């Protein structure tokens, strides 16, 4: 192994890498190309249950403009050097800022952080990769624009572009983020700049308002993929509603997940409840603030009795369904009556409103998220077990009570086998649910790390055997996940990759796609 670099890209000689690095320096300036171990530490930090070495970068480069990105891409083509683009690089539990494979050069786009446009009439924005949710929130607040964002939970430091291209979700009516994106600019592996949708039409002013453009709709192929480097993203913002009412339905029995989902689905599908609802398990609610050792010191995963005790202490349900109503007070009133009627008819659960939970920090946190107000509280989950290990397992489920129940039972059985706690929530789309499970473990403990790795593998395989797949995968398991989706899907992805990126320079291996 070369001493000069902490890693080298696969198949690239040290001589060629030296040449590439000096060309990156000429293009970006010495100070924007890092190869020293200490400067690279932040780009090699992972939370996944695999050795750091598997995701060690060879270098990091930090362009500030589209032209610089193009120049980097040209250098990569000359020397066959692979780059792994990141936007804000806060993809914690999915790979963080580290490359998907050892030796790849991280292309850090954080310094491209201009908010290019916010249109308060059409409620659209156009942003660069480095723009954070907090930055966009502050921009809107400072100008007193009547616009709301949708952001993922720990989002202040993450950004809309990275989150959307990885198909992340939030908690408002615009919570399915890719669905509410409109128009991309992409530096292709050849260095050409593509604008999707209406963006390719000279003088068009409809890039951020009409998604489809003409001919094949391309935006999708730039999400969870490695077909280009996205340098601009259009997104729709929500007009601030005149009124907002948030509430929680608490369920005290784990089996009530069936009633919760069955009560919710018709309301969600009819848009009576318009937002991406969360049904959060007690351990998720308490895990951000409670200490595991205060409730459970035994071997294996935490007992149901300990979780119930914690839920009582913290005044949360075993399941907590958070939803919001948006619109005029009159509209809200009508929908509120329908919801109350539906919950009463189900015979399960207790509805509590913002007025009743005035000072409850857990409720406020959820209520804020449903209004696109961000914080980083979810990171508190990392203290539950401590030791910096996190790996999201996020299978998709039909929005059906029996399906939720089945996934819950499967997940708990598998986690239990490995002594890992069930820390989870369901995020409800229109017909689907993302069952989000944080596989938390102490990464400083070799036995726990091994258990987490085996656990994750079993979760993937056993869920797949029942026809369940994940909506997003961390970089340690992307290959395995890609295999689950079958040969034809892999083959088609590869054909596109070969056509667009014959030298395989952009994020090889992302979502299991190679040249
Ligand atoms: P966030 O900080 O919002 O969680 P990241 O910036 O880490 O997200 O991006 C998540 C993932 O999306 C990255 O690991 C990378 O695979 C992909 N990605 C991020 N930015 C880009 C981009 N500009 N072009 C292409 N892919 C990207």
């Amino acid at each position: 192994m070369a001493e000069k670099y902490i890693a080298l890209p696969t198949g690239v000689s040290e001589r060629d890498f030296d040449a590439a690095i000096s060309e990156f320096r000429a293009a970006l300036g010495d100070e924007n190309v890092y190869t020293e171990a200490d400067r690279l530490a932040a780009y090699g930090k992972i939370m996944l249950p695999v050795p750091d070495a598997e995701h060690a970068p060879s270098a990091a480069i930090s362009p500030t403009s589209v032209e610089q990105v193009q120049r980097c891409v040209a250098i990569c083509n000359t020397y066959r050097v692979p780059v792994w683009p990141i936007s804000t690089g806060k993809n914690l539990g999915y790979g963080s800022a580290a490359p998907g494979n050892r030796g790849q050069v991280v292309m850090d786009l954080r310094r491209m952080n201009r908010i290019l446009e916010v249109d308060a009439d059409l409620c659209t924005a156009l942003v660069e990769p480095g723009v954070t949710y907090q930055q966009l929130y502050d921009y809107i607040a400072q100008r007193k624009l009547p616009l709301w964002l949708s952001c993922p939970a720990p989002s202040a430091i993450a950004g809309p572009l990275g989150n959307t291209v990885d198909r992340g979700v939030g908690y408002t009516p615009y919570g399915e983020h890719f669905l509410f994106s409109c128009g991309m600019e992409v530096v292709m592996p050849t260095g050409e700049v593509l604008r999707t949708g209406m963006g390719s039409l000279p003088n068009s002013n409809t890039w951020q308002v009409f998604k489809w453009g003409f001919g094949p709709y391309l935006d999708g192929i730039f999400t969870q993929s490695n077909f280009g480097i996205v340098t601009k993203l259009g997104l729709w913002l929500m007009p601030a509603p005149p009124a907002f009412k948030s509430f929680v339905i608490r369920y005290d029995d784990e089996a009530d997940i069936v009633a919760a989902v069955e009560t919710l689905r018709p309301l969600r599908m009819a848009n009576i409840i318009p937002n991406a609802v969360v049904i959060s398990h007690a351990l998720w609610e308490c895990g951000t603030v409670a200490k595991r050792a205060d409730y459970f010191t035994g071997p294996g995963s935490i007992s149901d009795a300990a979780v119930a005790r914690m839920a009582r202490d913290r005044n949360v349900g075993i399941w907590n369904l958070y939803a919001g109503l948006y619109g005029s007070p009159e509209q809200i009133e009508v929908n509120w009556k329908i919801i109350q009627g539906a919950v009463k008819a189900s015979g399960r659960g207790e509805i509590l409103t913002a007025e009743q939970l005035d000072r409850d920090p857990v409720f406020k946190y959820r209520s804020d998220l449903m209004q696109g107000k961000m914080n980083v509280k979810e990171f508190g989950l990392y203290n539950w077990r401590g030791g910096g290990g996190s790996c999201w397992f996020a299978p998709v489920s039909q929005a059906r009570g029996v399906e939720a129940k089945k996934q819950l039972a499967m997940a708990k059985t598998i986690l239990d086998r490995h002594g890992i706690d069930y820390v989870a929530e369901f995020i409800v789309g229109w017909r689907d649910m993302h069952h989000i499970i944080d596989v938390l473990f102490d990464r400083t403990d070799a036995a726990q790390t091994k258990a987490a790795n085996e656990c994750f593998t079993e979760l993937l395989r056993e869920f797949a055997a029942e026809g369940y797949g994940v909506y997003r995968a961390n970089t340690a398991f992307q290959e395995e996940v890609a295999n689950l989706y079958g040969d034809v899907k892999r083959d088609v992805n590869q054909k596109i990759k070969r056509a667009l990126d014959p030298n395989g320079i952009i994020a090889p291996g992302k979502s299991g796609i190679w040249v």
Side-chain angles (χ1 to χ4, degrees), residues 167-468:
R167 294 207 295 265
V169 293
Y171 303 91
T172 74
Y174 286 31
E176 182 63 85
H177 292 159
F178 178 52
L179 197 60
F180 291 91
S181 69
C182 191
M184 287 177 177
E185 179 186 84
V186 188
V187 174
M188 300 301 294
T190 52
E192 293 162 299
V193 177
L194 168 73
R195 289 190 170 185
T196 64
M198 301 307 282
S200 289
L201 185 73
N203 297 324
S204 160
N205 66 2
T206 52
W207 190 23
Q208 266 64 68
V209 294
F210 182 64
K211 291 158 75 88
W212 318 122
F214 177 74
Y217 172 70
L218 295 178
D219 299 47
I221 69 164
F222 299 110
T223 63
Q224 291 189 1
S225 87
N226 51 14
F227 300 151
I229 299 169
V230 182
T231 46
K232 291 184 183 60
L233 180 80
L235 58 145
W236 290 350
L237 305 173
M238 186 176 150
F244 169 71
K245 182 184 185 81
S246 52
F247 61 94
V248 57
I249 312 174
R250 284 186 184 160
Y251 297 89
D252 287 332
D253 187 343
E254 207 164 65
D256 283 342
I257 189 66
V258 178
V261 174
E262 288 300 310
T263 308
L264 175 75
R265 186 188 52 250
L267 302 172
R268 177 78 181 100
M269 279 177 63
N271 261 359
I272 290 165
I273 295 177
N275 71 315
V277 168
V278 166
I279 311 175
S280 177
H281 192 260
L283 196 41
W284 185 302
E285 294 301 273
C286 303
T288 52
V289 283
K291 284 219 173 56
R292 189 175 195 267
D294 290 343
Y295 286 93
F296 190 72
T297 47
S301 55
I302 191 168
S303 66
D304 287 348
V307 174
R309 193 152 48 85
M310 193 161 60
R312 273 196 306 278
D313 285 356
R314 305 264 160 187
N315 199 23
V316 301
I318 293 296
W319 291 111
N320 305 273
L321 188 158
Y322 295 96
L325 298 176
Y326 307 71
S328 70
E330 295 80 4
Q331 288 170 315
I332 287 180
E333 199 46 43
V334 171
N335 287 333
W336 180 232
K337 285 208 176 90
I338 297 172
I339 291 159
Q340 284 176 303
V343 174
K344 195 161 173 222
S346 78
R348 315 292 305 169
E350 180 193 10
I351 308 192
L352 297 161
T353 61
E355 294 79 45
Q356 289 160 286
L357 294 168
D358 196 19
R359 293 177 196 287
D360 184 320
V362 178
F363 182 79
K364 182 176 182 314
Y365 164 68
R366 294 289 177 181
S367 186
D368 280 353
L369 281 179
M370 291 189 281
Q371 299 168 72
K373 292 184 193 164
M374 65 219 56
N375 55 62
V376 290
K377 276 190 197 148
E378 194 181 84
F379 290 142
L381 283 180
Y382 298 142
N383 299 326
W384 171 248
R385 216 116 197 198
S390 162
C391 191
W392 298 99
F393 177 67
V396 176
S397 151
Q398 288 185 346
R400 236 190 253 283
V402 290
E403 291 289 305
K405 187 177 160 196
K406 180 175 163 189
Q407 285 205 356
L408 166 69
M410 285 177 65
K412 283 187 75 172
T413 306
I414 299 166
L415 291 163
D416 202 39
R417 241 183 257 152
H418 299 277
I420 292 173
D421 302 334
Y422 178 72
V423 179
E425 66 179 20
F426 288 93
I427 303 183
V428 189
W430 274 290
R431 287 158 180 78
D432 73 292
M433 303 197 291
H434 293 28
H435 185 183
I436 315 263
I437 303 169
D438 200 350
V439 176
L440 291 166
F441 59 98
D442 181 350
R443 204 165 174 271
T444 63
D445 177 327
Q448 265 192 49
T449 305
K450 185 166 174 280
N453 187 306
E454 286 167 5
C455 179
F456 201 90
T457 306
E458 275 173 35
L459 284 164
L460 275 178
R461 290 185 188 163
E462 293 187 26
F463 272 67
E466 295 296 314
Y468 297 129

Side-chain angles (χ1 to χ4, degrees), residues 84-92 96-98 109 129 133 157-166 222 225 228-231 472 475 507 510:
W84 182 269
I86 59 162
S87 288
T88 45
K90 294 290 184 277
N91 218 9
L92 308 187
S96 307
L109 299 166
Y133 281 105
I157 50 177
L161 194 147
N163 188 266
T164 303
V165 298
D166 225 27
F222 299 110
S225 87
I229 299 169
V230 182
T231 46
R472 185 178 184 184
T475 49
K510 170 84 182 172

